[in-house]
Amino acid sequence: MDAAALLALDAAHVWHPYAPMPGRVPPLLVTGARGVRLELADGRELVDGMSSWWAAVHGYRHPVLDAALAEQSARMSHVMFGGLTHEPAITLATTLVDLTPDSLEHVFLCDSGSVSVEVAVKMCLQYQRSRGRGDKRRLLTWRGGYHGDTFTPMSVCDPEGGMHALWRGVLPEQVFVPAPPSGFGAPPDPSYVDTLAAAIARHADELAAVIVEPVVQGAGGMRFHHPEYLRVLRELTEEHDVLLVFDEIATGFGRTGRMFAAQHAGVTPDVLCVGKALTGGYLSMAATLCTAEIADGISMGELPVLAHGPTFMGNPLACAVANASLGLLADGGWEHDVKRIEAALRAGLAPAADLPAVRDVRVLGAIGVLQLDHPVDMAVATEVVTAHGAWLRPFRDLIYTMPPYVSTDADLAVVTSAMLAAAAAA
Ligand SMILES: *Cc1c(COP(=O)(O)O)cnc(C)c1O
């Protein structure tokens, strides 16, 4: 079937993310991908500045990941995880426990990031109930966050971006504090610390947990904050008998310059969610890690099991490719790459500060963001960036990149010049 026929069927039947049916801007038809390049049906090649929603950190068709997948599929693609186990899952869980702070000991494998947040919340509520604190069942978060699209994660997404008004009466009403002051390097604001302290103290009796994205708020607005606020949250949650959940689905595996963003603060949460780059962008998989205290609490409670078990839990193909991806990260070369990318993004995006429509230019690790003073016209921006040979997916007032770690300086120059062009056209 030719490209036009496929796109007509796509428009007729295929629902795309965050889109009406049919979509307003027709999607590009991709026929292949290799390294950092997407190959389109019309013969064009685009340098991918998105890592396929921040997941494909090693690029596409990486020989090590391809081989891991092929080897595993020759053994078994899937078996149920109830009553059965296998080496790929055991290795993955053990590696995650080794990589993350010491007190995180137990791993629940999930099929997507949103599900890992559901599991994290279920763990927290069930733990509180097990110890006779069933009244502690609300969550506190700061505004500007994003934790996924199923209903529980939606309830802790930014109330405006998450359209809470549309879902009043449907979503559980969580406790929101203002977004953390912007700037990774900006000195911590004592009055914001007071705001956090007052809110946690006031709601302590009803709070099961505080949940936040550490250091970088991703899909809620691509904002960075000082790690000190995470240390403050750790102290306050301990003081008030509240659990602390870090959602590192976007920030995990090196994206911010540390293996996990929590390491910028030296803070260990009670529960940690990882996903996105976990499988190097090959397959859908996420994980929820927790402390022995939480696992023991649940396992000795009134319902002494964690009542969760996705059909494709612990999928061996996803585990095998995750193990291969973590293997590629193990030599620490990613750290050098992320530093190199950070420098290239800083240099490449600096001229944007002089563009009239640009309100802010910010870079942290392998994340580069141009924030405009008005919403981006998606159709125009897509036209401009693809004409410059790049693939980017701006949203709201943001033109940003989270490139694969294997991007060369020349690839990054394509991405940053496309970003500058899109901002100039806006
Ligand atoms: C993407 C994302 C999620 C949701 O993950 P899915 O795999 O899309 O369900 C949750 N939290 C954060 C921080 C994310 O970036």
Side-chain angles (χ1 to χ4, degrees):
M1 210 180 295
D2 68 17
L6 284 170
L7 287 171
L9 288 174
D10 185 279
H13 302 300
V14 184
W15 212 316
H16 285 269
Y18 309 109
M21 189 67 241
R24 272 188 288 268
V25 184
L28 303 177
L29 187 60
V30 182
T31 51
R34 180 190 285 276
V36 301
R37 284 177 171 68
L38 305 176
E39 300 155 8
L40 305 188
D42 60 15
R44 279 182 295 167
E45 283 196 351
L46 301 178
V47 175
D48 182 8
M50 299 300 297
S51 305
S52 281
W53 270 335
W54 329 341
V57 290
H58 309 295
Y60 304 97
R61 290 185 64 189
H62 193 289
V64 173
L65 303 191
D66 282 6
L69 206 49
E71 268 166 40
Q72 185 55 44
S73 68
R75 251 184 278 275
M76 61 177 168
S77 291
H78 185 65
V79 292
M80 65 187 283
F81 212 51
L84 302 175
T85 193
H86 44 79
E87 187 274 332
I90 296 166
T91 301
L92 178 58
T94 310
T95 308
L96 289 174
V97 167
D98 287 347
L99 279 177
T100 52
D102 278 352
S103 49
L104 296 168
E105 281 185 43
H106 305 291
V107 183
F108 191 95
L109 298 170
C110 308
D111 30 17
S112 74
S114 301
V115 173
S116 77
V117 173
E118 298 277 1
V119 169
V121 172
K122 191 182 275 192
M123 280 176 177
C124 293
L125 266 61
Q126 199 174 331
Y127 168 78
Q128 298 291 9
R129 206 185 149 98
S130 299
R131 55 199 276 268
R133 294 303 311 266
D135 53 331
K136 286 165 82 71
R137 52 172 182 248
R138 288 181 85 189
L139 305 168
L140 181 145
T141 188
W142 47 38
R143 286 175 177 256
Y146 177 81
H147 298 281
D149 291 339
T150 60
F151 279 83
T152 304
M154 268 167 72
S155 76
V156 282
C157 287
D158 186 68
E160 277 163 46
M163 294 174 289
H164 285 216
L166 179 63
W167 296 112
R168 188 159 299 127
V170 178
L171 291 179
E173 289 190 17
Q174 315 292 15
V175 181
F176 285 91
V177 294
S182 275
F184 178 74
D189 174 356
S191 76
Y192 185 72
V193 170
D194 292 345
T195 304
L196 290 177
I200 293 173
R202 180 158 7 102
H203 294 280
D205 284 345
E206 52 173 352
L207 285 182
V210 169
I211 178 168
V212 296
E213 295 157 278
V215 177
V216 176
Q217 295 181 295
M222 308 302 295
R223 297 168 79 252
F224 311 150
H225 56 257
H226 197 286
E228 176 63 17
Y229 300 123
L230 304 169
R231 284 190 281 272
V232 167
L233 284 180
R234 181 67 286 182
E235 274 169 29
L236 290 169
T237 48
E238 258 161 25
E239 182 185 336
H240 292 285
D241 190 23
V242 174
L243 297 171
L244 181 62
V245 181
F246 281 170
D247 177 350
E248 293 236 23
I249 293 166
T251 51
F253 309 111
R255 181 57 68 181
T256 69
R258 306 296 297 262
M259 184 55 99
F260 295 101
Q263 291 168 331
H264 289 288
V267 163
T268 304
D270 302 294
V271 179
L272 175 71
C273 296
V274 295
K276 287 203 162 92
L278 175 61
T279 64
Y282 270 52
L283 285 166
S284 180
M285 170 164 265
T288 312
L289 287 89
C290 74
T291 60
E293 189 185 338
I294 292 179
D296 293 349
I298 290 171
S299 307
M300 294 182 305
E302 57 176 324
L303 177 69
V305 297
L306 182 64
H308 214 99
T311 305
F312 289 99
M313 181 169 177
N315 174 258
L317 291 174
C319 290
V321 77
N323 287 330
S325 176
L326 296 177
L328 290 176
L329 296 176
D331 71 4
W334 63 269
E335 209 166 346
H336 171 79
D337 282 327
V338 170
K339 279 208 184 83
R340 177 179 57 77
I341 292 169
E342 179 167 20
L345 294 179
R346 272 189 210 290
L349 296 178
D354 298 329
L355 295 172
V358 173
R359 219 180 72 195
D360 190 37
V361 181
R362 50 186 183 266
V363 173
L364 179 68
I367 308 171
V369 184
L370 302 182
Q371 185 162 15
L372 308 186
D373 59 9
H374 62 273
V376 179
D377 180 324
M378 187 83 102
V380 173
T382 302
E383 185 80 38
V384 172
V385 299
T386 55
H388 279 76
W391 171 243
L392 295 166
R393 184 80 176 156
F395 70 102
R396 301 203 328 223
D397 54 356
L398 303 162
I399 301 169
Y400 76 99
T401 180
M402 291 213 201
Y405 302 165
V406 294
S407 306
T408 64
D409 289 351
D411 298 330
L412 296 166
V414 170
V415 169
T416 54
S417 61
M419 290 172 72
L420 295 181

